[in-house]
Amino acid sequence: MKLIYSLLSVTLLTACTVPALQSNNQPAEEKGAMTPPDAIKHDPAHPPIDCPLRKQGIDPGKLKPFEQMEAYINFLDQESRKVWQKPQEVVAAMQLKGHERVLDLGAGSGYFSFPIAEKLPLGRLFAADVEPEMVRHIHHKVMAQGIKNIEVLLIDPEKPKLPENIDLVFICDVLHHVKNPKDWLTGITAQLPIGAQIHIIEFKPGDLPNGPPESVKMAPEKLIEIAQSCGLRLEKRLDELLPYQNYYVFKK
Ligand SMILES: C[S@@+](CC[C@H](N)C(=O)[O-])C[C@H]1O[C@@H](n2cnc3c(N)ncnc32)[C@H](O)[C@@H]1O
């Protein structure tokens, strides 16, 4: 596993570094940089898939080594999570028709982004996170797998800017990370069209084998109260779908 991630790390850095060479109008010799091989020369008719971090002014070359994110990514993607996270059942519960524009907000490793995108042959999945390394990780997977309907976004932790015309925002295990959930949800709701849905999954209160410490969990009543104060209507609650988490569906 370590070897695979070491190789991935090199590939990731390359994937995110290539556009720097391409977007640099000065000859490579002037910068003392390596001349890019023919395969990565810029063709204006077919622009490269640029690293989403660069568009936001972050130099991907200055990110933490990929190995440092390995533990968190492995934790999120661990095989045993399937037993209680039931990703296929969760995606089925979203009742997607296939043409929607879905935002996976706080996408992490993309645990849900990829299976959701599979259900959107005519739609688009936006995978957004506040961690540049997560954005880089998903971006690389998207490129490596040649996936056409996933776009990756680096967002602000307090005031995320949403893509236009989102039909559904999916937020799994993120709300307890947010500093001011009311302001955060208010800002998100304001950017959605009427009729858009927000699906939230958060850990149930109580001593459970998985989940964050009790001190950071939000009581279901509190979560619903906050969402309603942001102009959202509770459409349904799926309390039995998952053993350790509640699933709330809100509508604007
Ligand atoms: C526990 S992980 C969940 C990841 C993914 N949703 C899943 O279920 O596998 C929480 C994620 O939320 C992200 N996050 C933390 N604060 C955030 C914020 N204010 N806005 C958006 N994402 C945030 C973290 O970077 C992390 O990737």
Side-chain angles (χ1 to χ4, degrees):
M1 186 57 104
K2 278 227 174 290
L3 176 66
I4 294 171
Y5 269 96
S6 298
L7 289 170
L8 256 181
S9 161
V10 172
T11 322
L12 277 168
L13 283 170
T14 309
C16 283
T17 308
V18 165
L21 298 172
Q22 293 160 338
S23 61
N24 180 354
N25 289 330
Q26 297 178 44
E29 307 82 75
E30 277 181 36
K31 286 271 182 190
M34 287 191 310
T35 306
D38 285 350
I40 57 170
K41 270 188 187 153
H42 179 55
D43 171 5
H46 301 95
I49 307 170
D50 200 359
C51 178
L53 301 178
R54 190 176 302 287
K55 288 185 208 156
Q56 307 213 23
I58 290 182
D59 179 355
K62 298 214 171 106
L63 293 178
K64 292 175 212 138
F66 188 72
E67 287 85 348
Q68 283 182 20
M69 296 305 280
E70 182 184 356
Y72 196 27
I73 288 168
N74 283 349
F75 171 74
L76 293 173
D77 285 350
Q78 63 189 290
E79 194 59 26
S80 61
R81 185 178 174 195
K82 270 192 191 152
V83 177
W84 55 269
Q85 189 60 86
K86 304 185 180 185
Q88 294 307 329
E89 285 90 332
V90 167
V91 175
M94 295 169 76
Q95 300 187 322
L96 296 166
K97 295 188 178 70
H99 59 264
E100 293 92 337
R101 286 164 65 82
V102 177
L103 173 64
D104 184 6
L105 195 50
S109 61
Y111 185 82
F112 280 106
S113 310
F114 293 92
I116 295 172
E118 279 178 21
K119 303 286 180 200
L120 299 171
L122 302 174
R124 198 154 189 80
L125 185 285
F126 297 89
D129 206 280
V130 296
E131 293 288 350
E133 289 83 0
M134 291 304 193
V135 168
R136 180 175 68 173
H137 173 74
I138 302 178
H139 177 67
H140 177 259
K141 264 182 93 169
V142 166
M143 284 199 302
Q145 296 178 18
I147 296 170
K148 299 280 185 283
N149 65 343
I150 296 184
E151 201 169 309
V152 195
L153 308 168
L154 179 67
I155 48 161
D156 184 88
E158 280 160 45
K159 296 187 175 174
K161 186 172 171 342
L162 271 52
E164 286 180 357
N165 298 320
I166 290 294
D167 298 297
L168 192 155
V169 184
F170 178 74
I171 306 172
C172 179
D173 300 346
V174 178
L175 208 58
H176 63 267
H177 288 273
V178 176
K179 261 196 207 143
N180 186 335
K182 187 172 180 327
D183 287 355
W184 189 72
L185 264 187
T186 302
I188 290 163
T189 307
Q191 297 177 64
L192 294 174
I194 302 288
Q197 295 186 350
I198 300 189
H199 293 212
I200 300 179
I201 295 180
E202 268 299 317
F203 280 92
K204 295 175 181 177
D207 188 15
L208 303 168
N210 288 288
E214 203 60 22
S215 57
V216 304
K217 287 187 196 167
M218 193 183 289
E221 301 70 32
K222 179 81 183 155
L223 190 155
I224 294 168
E225 186 195 311
I226 288 178
Q228 287 173 338
S229 74
C230 300
L232 294 167
R233 189 160 35 89
L234 180 65
E235 286 262 295
K236 60 180 165 186
R237 243 179 102 162
L238 304 172
D239 289 349
E240 307 305 326
L241 181 68
L242 303 168
Y244 309 136
Q245 296 146 300
N246 290 324
Y247 187 146
Y248 310 83
V249 176
F250 295 98
K251 195 166 188 175
K252 178 168 172 180

